[in-house]
Amino acid sequence: MDVKIVERTATPWVGFHLVGPFEETAPEGFTRLTAWAGQQGISGEWMGIYHGNPNKVAASQLEIDTVIGVEADYDLPAAENGPHKGVLAGANMRWRA
């Protein structure tokens, strides 16, 4: 496996926050995001932002944001149980190629 370090600028995003085992929450989050983004007619870079080390955190407490990159001024429509906004900070990041 090759690892590449890239520099990224801050990326605003919209997505869903889920808590639980990654093998359950990641597919559920991306399914919800696919449906929502399609209804909104938006496209952008898709990302999974994982919180917690599965070797140190109980699976039931792992967190993930399944997100799509948007413009900084994107106006998020209000919806119960809908997505929320955030920003992935800019930094040097390692990517698996």
Side-chain angles (χ1 to χ4, degrees):
M1 168 180 28
D2 293 331
V3 175
K4 179 171 68 170
I5 298 176
V6 297
E7 188 170 319
R8 292 183 54 109
T9 59
T11 304
W13 54 258
V14 172
F16 294 91
H17 182 82
L18 294 97
V19 179
F22 290 148
E23 62 271 8
E24 296 172 11
T25 54
E28 176 187 343
F30 283 113
T31 296
R32 290 175 63 187
L33 186 62
T34 298
W36 181 84
Q39 291 170 349
Q40 301 301 313
I42 63 173
S43 62
E45 180 181 16
W46 293 68
M47 296 172 276
I49 304 171
Y50 294 86
H51 308 276
N53 179 341
N55 295 323
K56 296 183 179 184
V57 176
S60 63
Q61 297 176 348
L62 293 170
E63 300 178 43
I64 184 173
D65 290 295
T66 54
V67 305
I68 186 170
V70 295
E71 297 295 324
D73 62 352
Y74 179 76
D75 190 19
L76 179 63
E80 188 173 327
N81 296 321
H84 61 280
K85 290 176 77 172
V87 176
L88 180 63
N92 289 330
M93 306 180 85
R94 290 183 176 89
W95 293 90
R96 293 182 187 162

